[in-house]
Structures are given as structure tokens and as C-alpha cells.
Amino acid sequence: MAVALLGCISTAQAQITLTAPVDTISPWRTKLKASLNISEALLSNNWKGGGVSFVGLNGLFNTQANYRSGRNSWDNQADLLFAFAQNKGQGYRKNLDRLFLDTKYGYSISSDWDLFASLNLLTQFAPGYEYSKDSTGTERARFVSSWFAPAFITSSYGFEYHPATFFKLRLSPFSPRITVVNDPQRFLATVSDSPYGVRPPRQVRYEILALQVLSEFDKQIMENVTLKGRYLLFANYEKLNWRKIDHRLELAITAKVNKYINVAITGISLYDYDQDTKIQASQTLSLGFLYTFQNYTEQK
């Protein structure tokens, strides 16, 4: 008698937000958030409903340490995201991959405006592939990205508008950027003859005359619903063309079902002419556990 092992699907997410105890003397505001989402499906070989067995992992780590004393401020942030799935018959496949580090010094010129200088890094952790099928139906993987391939290092100087604790807007008319592609020769056959704007044998591209706009929003927009977003614009003055302006938008909406359960949907939209002439997009949906705490109150 055949024994069928049918559906076993489980999803679990743990999300923790930790902050330092409230201290009215300390000029530091610190916060840490970590989340982990694990999903799995196990189907027997004779399962007639269709589908494949898989296991997936989605992890997020965000920490902030912000200092303010008098007119001086120093804000630091690390934002890490990684997700992958292991599908039966297809193997390991990466879904999401982000490493964002940012540090900024500000000098207050009014209650809502600062002069600032900042440095940030945007790259990824693991190799990335594009999957397609050839004329025979055989699936093939194209190697298109990796650690520091590409990596964007940007220094910015300008003005920051911060009317509330949940919103910041940086306007940087002078933002030199370095694009790094580790061993660009590897991508000539799969990306282009100038991978991510870097022409081999060079591994670095310099864009000195450029501007950057960076906006961040993190607020409870209605009862038990929080919206967090980051928008990044980069434009090279030397090639100022609306088609060649880079845009990156990241959004995350989290809704608390009850004290411990939440539903979250996240999305990333990216347009970079040096990568693709079309908009790139990704989206994830998760259900799991949530705990939050912070040592300051948002301004209304």
C-alpha cells in the first residue's frame, strides 16, 4: 500500500526590536530590529495537486544609533536584508539581497534644517543569477551579480529637512559616487560590455559631478499599521538625461493583527539605466510575530 505524505506547510517569523533604556541625559537614540521568516512545503512524489517541495528563509536586520547634542548630530544606520528559497528540482535561488550602511554628520541651522555631510554604501552579499529556458526547454542560469559587483559608495554634502522624527529629506547638490564591480570580466558575456557602467579592465567608475536625493519615512499611519519607506535618486550632471537618472524606492507596510501577530508586505522598485532599461521590482508577503519598542515618541 502506497503511503502518501501530504502537505506540510509552515511559516514562522520572529521580529524583535530592542532599544536602550530611556535615559533623559544621554544624547543617543539607539534602536535594533531583527526579523526571521521561515517557510516550508513538503509534498509526496505522487501528490496530484501540483507544486514542488521547498524551504525558504527571509531575514532582516536593522540598527540605528543617532546622536544629537546642541547643534551637532551624528546618525548611523545599518540595514541588511536577505532571502532565499530551496526548491525541489531547482536548487537554491536567492530572492532578496541588500546591504545598506549610512553615516551622517549634521549641523543645525534651524529647527527643521541641517547642513550635513554623509557617506553610504549599497551592495549585496551573495552571487545573483537570472534564470531562463533555451530552445530545448532546458533551464539555464546567467551569473549577473555578486559581492561588491556592483557596490555604490556615495558621499553627499547639502541640506537635510527633518520636520518630524518620522521623516527626513536630504538634498545633496554635490554627491560624488564610486561604482565598484569586482572582477568585471566575469560579467562581459552575461551583463554588457560595461557591467554596471564600469568598463573592463577597470573595476571602478567615478561620477564626481552628481546630485543625490534621499528621503526616509517611518510612521504609524493608522491604528496598528506602520509604513516605512526609503527613496533614493542619483543623477550625474555630466550625463543629465531623464532616462539616465537612477531611482530606488523601498516600501514596507506592517499591520498588527493582535499583540503578537503581524502581517507585512514589502516591495522594492529600481530603475538604473546602467543595469536595465526597464524598471526592476520585487515583492514579499509574510505573516508572523512582532514585538516593538522605542525610547522616544514620534512628533505629530
Side-chain angles (χ1 to χ4, degrees):
M1 178 182 297
V3 179
L5 176 61
L6 304 180
C8 174
I9 302 175
S10 62
T11 300
Q13 181 185 44
Q15 191 168 35
I16 306 171
T17 301
L18 303 175
T19 60
V22 176
D23 186 347
T24 58
I25 299 176
S26 174
W28 287 94
R29 286 180 176 177
T30 60
K31 181 166 65 175
L32 184 147
K33 178 187 290 184
S35 67
L36 181 65
N37 182 79
I38 302 174
S39 56
E40 181 223 24
L42 179 61
L43 308 176
S44 65
N45 293 331
N46 63 335
W47 176 248
K48 300 302 189 292
V52 296
S53 299
F54 76 92
V55 60
L57 178 68
N58 185 329
L60 169 70
F61 179 86
N62 178 276
T63 183
Q64 300 177 32
N66 302 328
Y67 171 92
R68 180 171 290 275
S69 179
R71 291 191 170 189
N72 299 286
S73 63
W74 183 28
D75 296 345
N76 304 275
Q77 181 179 183
D79 192 9
L80 287 62
L81 173 66
F82 191 81
F84 71 89
Q86 183 84 18
N87 298 334
K88 183 179 180 180
Q90 295 178 328
Y92 162 88
R93 292 192 174 186
K94 183 177 69 171
N95 302 123
L96 297 172
D97 192 356
R98 179 185 68 218
L99 169 61
F100 179 76
L101 304 176
D102 182 77
T103 184
K104 176 187 66 71
Y105 167 77
Y107 182 81
S108 177
I109 56 177
S110 75
S111 60
D112 295 339
W113 289 89
D114 284 2
L115 290 171
F116 83 90
S118 70
L119 180 68
N120 59 57
L121 165 68
L122 177 63
T123 186
Q124 60 184 25
F125 294 98
Y129 298 86
E130 284 186 352
Y131 300 92
S132 61
K133 293 184 178 180
D134 60 19
S135 57
T136 65
T138 303
E139 191 171 58
R140 300 195 179 278
R142 296 195 311 137
F143 180 52
V144 295
S145 61
S146 187
W147 167 254
F148 263 68
F152 304 99
I153 304 171
T154 309
S155 59
S156 300
Y157 310 87
F159 302 89
E160 182 183 72
Y161 177 58
H162 49 82
T165 56
F166 57 82
F167 176 75
K168 295 179 180 179
L169 174 65
R170 299 185 197 174
L171 305 174
S172 314
F174 181 55
S175 294
R177 184 174 78 173
I178 300 174
T179 302
V180 180
V181 177
N182 185 24
D183 193 6
Q185 297 282 356
R186 296 180 298 169
F187 306 101
L188 289 179
T190 57
V191 179
S192 71
D193 58 356
S194 298
Y196 306 102
V198 177
R199 188 177 296 276
R202 298 178 179 177
Q203 297 189 36
V204 177
R205 177 191 181 189
Y206 297 94
E207 296 173 275
I208 303 301
L209 299 177
L211 69 90
Q212 184 182 74
V213 176
L214 174 61
S215 178
E216 293 185 321
F217 183 92
D218 189 356
K219 189 179 191 302
Q220 182 175 309
I221 55 176
M222 61 182 68
E223 187 176 2
N224 295 330
V225 178
T226 301
L227 171 63
K228 182 175 182 178
R230 179 189 297 125
Y231 170 70
L232 181 64
L233 176 150
F234 182 85
N236 188 331
Y237 289 127
E238 298 178 2
K239 299 180 180 179
L240 198 55
N241 181 314
W242 69 270
R243 292 187 62 195
K244 296 186 177 181
I245 297 177
D246 299 344
H247 304 270
R248 183 184 179 96
L249 177 64
E250 302 178 10
L251 293 173
I253 299 176
T254 304
K256 295 186 68 173
V257 178
N258 57 34
K259 186 176 181 180
Y260 299 105
I261 305 297
N262 79 287
V263 177
I265 182 170
T266 60
I268 300 175
S269 179
L270 170 65
Y271 177 79
D272 186 337
Y273 188 82
D274 292 319
Q275 298 186 27
D276 199 300
T277 58
K278 297 180 180 179
I279 296 175
Q280 304 173 56
S282 68
Q283 177 267 321
T284 59
L285 175 66
S286 62
L287 170 67
F289 300 99
L290 174 68
Y291 175 76
T292 60
F293 177 78
Q294 63 186 34
N295 66 343
Y296 58 91
T297 303
E298 292 180 351
Q299 300 175 12
K300 302 297 183 180

